[in-house]
Amino acid sequence: MKNSRKKTLAILALIIFIVIGVKVKASQEGILFDERIMDYIHGKATLLGIDIMRKVTYFGSVYFFLPIGLIIFFYMLRKRDTIGVFLLILSTLGSYGLNYILKNIFIRTRPLKYFLIEQGGYSFPSGHAMVSMTFYTTMTYLLIRKINKKETKVILKSINFLTIVLIGFSRIYLGVHWPTDVLMGYLIGYLFYIGMISLIPKE
């Protein structure tokens, strides 16, 4: 019954993603609440805020994931953690690959009038949001899978949640993504994560 409910929710989430994707396909405008949120946030943007958000957004970029991913990769190889290596590769390279495909399917233009930094490429779904969701949630899963203390698990999950939310918010603050880009990046990233976890044998 539980698995059936999860599958139903996953299908509903995928339908939501497709519906939003169709609405924004080849679009240059925001939809739903996009422009209201962007106007509100950018009406309160400051130079200090921009500087902070630049630093936050770095933790969702390839420039961070590449070196940290290599360090974790070699550590897991040394520990002969086959599951960890598999999930690490899939959560980064697989997520980046899927994001690239999706962006070139939906070809949504970035919110150019809100740009506070330069950013190329298409907008939907947000790569930072999507890859951060898969990478950090996967790393959290690998950390807590052998931890029995409930409080420690809650702390690690809370740090994971806060990190992902801040990275997504930084993309909106810096004006390089519509809010729907970020939300759908989270959604498809989490579905990708669930799909990965389902592939590994239960311990």
Side-chain angles (χ1 to χ4, degrees):
M1 187 71 177
K2 189 176 180 181
N3 286 336
S4 177
R5 187 161 57 246
K6 282 184 177 180
K7 287 179 181 178
T8 301
L9 289 173
I11 291 170
L12 286 174
L14 190 57
I15 290 171
I16 290 171
F17 175 80
I18 293 171
V19 169
I20 296 294
V22 169
K23 282 184 173 292
V24 303
K25 184 173 173 60
S27 171
Q28 299 181 13
E29 306 297 330
I31 64 168
L32 303 173
F33 43 75
D34 277 338
E35 293 194 15
R36 288 195 297 275
I37 291 176
M38 295 293 273
D39 287 337
Y40 178 80
I41 291 175
H42 282 248
K44 297 182 179 297
T46 64
L47 290 176
L48 177 60
I50 294 170
D51 187 53
I52 292 172
M53 289 301 118
R54 278 179 178 268
K55 290 178 173 61
V56 171
T57 209
Y58 170 77
F59 291 100
S61 72
V62 67
Y63 303 107
F64 175 76
F65 288 136
L66 182 59
I68 199 69
L70 285 173
I71 291 170
I72 297 172
F73 175 76
F74 286 116
Y75 174 78
M76 288 178 174
L77 275 183
R78 187 176 179 182
K79 292 290 184 179
R80 293 189 172 90
D81 186 350
T82 307
I83 291 175
V85 169
F86 170 77
L87 289 178
L88 173 65
I89 292 173
L90 203 54
S91 72
T92 47
L93 297 182
S95 189
Y96 269 118
L98 178 59
N99 183 259
Y100 176 82
I101 292 170
L102 292 173
K103 282 188 174 182
N104 282 276
I105 289 174
F106 295 109
I107 52 175
R108 186 186 196 184
T109 302
R110 291 182 184 273
L112 301 176
K113 67 178 180 179
Y114 295 101
F115 267 27
L116 296 179
I117 61 171
E118 289 299 317
Q119 183 72 61
Y122 295 121
S123 194
F124 182 90
S126 164
H128 276 66
M130 182 174 164
V131 180
S132 293
M133 175 62 80
T134 56
F135 178 83
Y136 287 112
T137 307
T138 299
M139 292 304 103
T140 301
Y141 169 82
L142 291 172
L143 283 172
I144 68 175
R145 61 183 167 152
K146 294 182 180 178
I147 292 176
N148 295 318
K149 196 172 181 181
K150 187 177 179 181
E151 292 80 4
T152 303
K153 289 185 176 183
V154 170
I155 290 171
L156 289 173
K157 286 181 178 180
S158 298
I159 292 172
N160 176 59
F161 176 79
L162 184 61
T163 300
I164 294 168
V165 168
L166 285 174
I167 289 171
F169 178 75
S170 75
R171 305 307 284 167
I172 298 170
Y173 192 99
L174 294 171
V176 294
H177 275 294
W178 299 104
T180 47
D181 295 335
V182 172
L183 290 175
M184 292 302 104
Y186 287 153
L187 183 63
I188 204 70
Y190 190 72
L191 289 177
F192 188 81
Y193 161 77
I194 293 298
M196 285 194 306
I197 297 302
S198 70
L199 294 176
I200 64 174
K202 302 302 178 187
E203 296 181 350

